[in-house]
Amino acid sequence: AQACPIDYAFPWGGMPMPFHVYTLCVGTSADARKSAGITVARDILDAALPDAIGEVPGSREKLIDSLRVKPRQAVLYSEFGAFLASSEQGYLNPLKTAFTEAWDGTPLGRALIKKADTEARIPRMSMLAGSTLDYLERHTEPADWTGGFMGRYITFYGDRQRDFPVPPGNLSMRGTLIEWLRNLASYSAFGVTRGQCLGFSQTARQLWDTWYKSLTQHARGTGVTAETAGSVSRAHAHAVRIALLLAWDY
């Protein structure tokens, strides 16, 4: 997402779907290696596109100030549970609302609108976060799920499948990934001029219509709780964003 142009979008009716994503990795403490994975991502992104990493905001105002200067950025939370615990106590609740608005791609405050640079008018903030299941259960409220905050995250649950006394590492692959991100960030990589995503092909549109109707029926079905219905119904938006990122890579 950090390698995409600020105006990159999927033609989604009258309101183009932007490219940025919120991703939440959930697993058990220590064993799932969530923080280790996020640390690797931070290391590669910092080497490839150092300006793409934003500071973890401590308030809604700090987030607005940060997006005014750097509208396209990635915020990384190794321990997202700490943020959830703080927002549950109240003083970070406005920041939670700001994250929701930023995912929608809407301007945050008049300061962004007044700035002459057009990039500042369309914040494109992505997030990569990790949390234990215990923290997620303890420090989120029903309104976080039914109101759409948690539904905006592409959420993965993972268990460790391999054990290494010493992580093997792969310096050559690290270099390949860094160069790959740098190439994606350029408008002309590998001699191919990159452009905007053109949307659905006719075949894809037929498949999409069928899946969308099935997803909607499932979200409204008797087997889906109110807390999970928002996440299920927003799955189509996540799919479009993932497709958009794959199109830029293609």
Side-chain angles (χ1 to χ4, degrees):
Q2 295 310 301
C4 294
I6 193 73
D7 59 347
Y8 189 51
F10 190 94
W12 190 256
M15 299 179 62
M17 184 80 71
F19 61 83
H20 58 282
V21 292
Y22 287 7
T23 305
L24 177 62
C25 305
V26 181
T28 56
S29 179
D31 191 61
R33 305 297 288 167
K34 306 176 302 300
S35 297
I38 294 174
T39 298
V40 170
R42 183 192 299 273
D43 171 68
I44 293 174
L45 184 59
D46 184 53
L49 306 170
D51 292 338
I53 300 178
E55 295 183 2
V56 174
S59 67
R60 176 186 176 89
E61 291 72 21
K62 288 295 184 182
L63 177 63
I64 293 175
D65 289 342
S66 177
L67 289 173
R68 183 174 56 195
V69 176
K70 189 188 299 185
R72 178 180 54 186
Q73 60 175 273
V75 175
L76 286 76
Y77 279 96
S78 296
E79 295 295 340
F80 194 57
F83 165 75
L84 293 174
S86 299
S87 62
E88 186 184 36
Q89 295 169 3
Y91 68 93
L92 281 184
N93 251 324
L95 180 56
K96 186 185 293 185
T97 303
F99 281 156
T100 301
E101 296 175 40
W103 186 89
D104 294 334
T106 56
L108 294 177
R110 295 182 58 84
L112 290 181
I113 300 176
K114 289 181 178 180
K115 189 171 175 59
D117 190 344
T118 57
E119 288 189 348
R121 298 180 184 176
I122 46 174
R124 296 288 183 257
M125 188 190 80
S126 292
M127 189 185 301
L128 176 59
S131 175
T132 64
L133 193 59
D134 290 340
Y135 262 102
L136 200 61
E137 291 179 337
R138 185 181 306 173
H139 298 297
T140 54
E141 304 172 13
D144 293 330
W145 300 91
T146 59
F149 174 69
M150 294 306 304
R152 284 170 167 77
Y153 291 82
I154 302 175
T155 304
F156 297 90
Y157 178 84
D159 289 315
R160 182 189 293 194
Q161 295 181 324
R162 294 175 293 179
D163 285 310
F164 296 110
V166 177
N170 190 328
L171 293 180
S172 63
M173 179 58 69
R174 178 181 182 275
T176 300
L177 288 173
I178 291 171
E179 187 62 24
W180 170 70
L181 280 175
R182 288 173 179 169
N183 285 331
L184 285 180
S186 65
Y187 279 92
S188 181
F190 307 111
V192 178
T193 300
R194 298 174 179 273
Q196 293 294 325
C197 176
L198 301 179
F200 292 113
S201 66
Q202 184 176 357
T203 303
R205 180 57 188 265
Q206 294 173 349
L207 292 171
W208 176 267
D209 288 348
T210 300
W211 179 65
Y212 181 86
K213 293 175 182 177
S214 174
L215 188 70
T216 302
Q217 292 176 355
H218 178 63
R220 298 172 180 172
T222 56
V224 178
T225 65
E227 287 78 13
T228 59
S231 297
V232 173
S233 61
R234 195 166 270 109
H236 74 278
H238 295 322
V240 169
R241 290 169 188 250
I242 292 172
L244 188 61
L245 294 177
L246 291 175
W248 186 249
D249 188 14
Y250 183 82

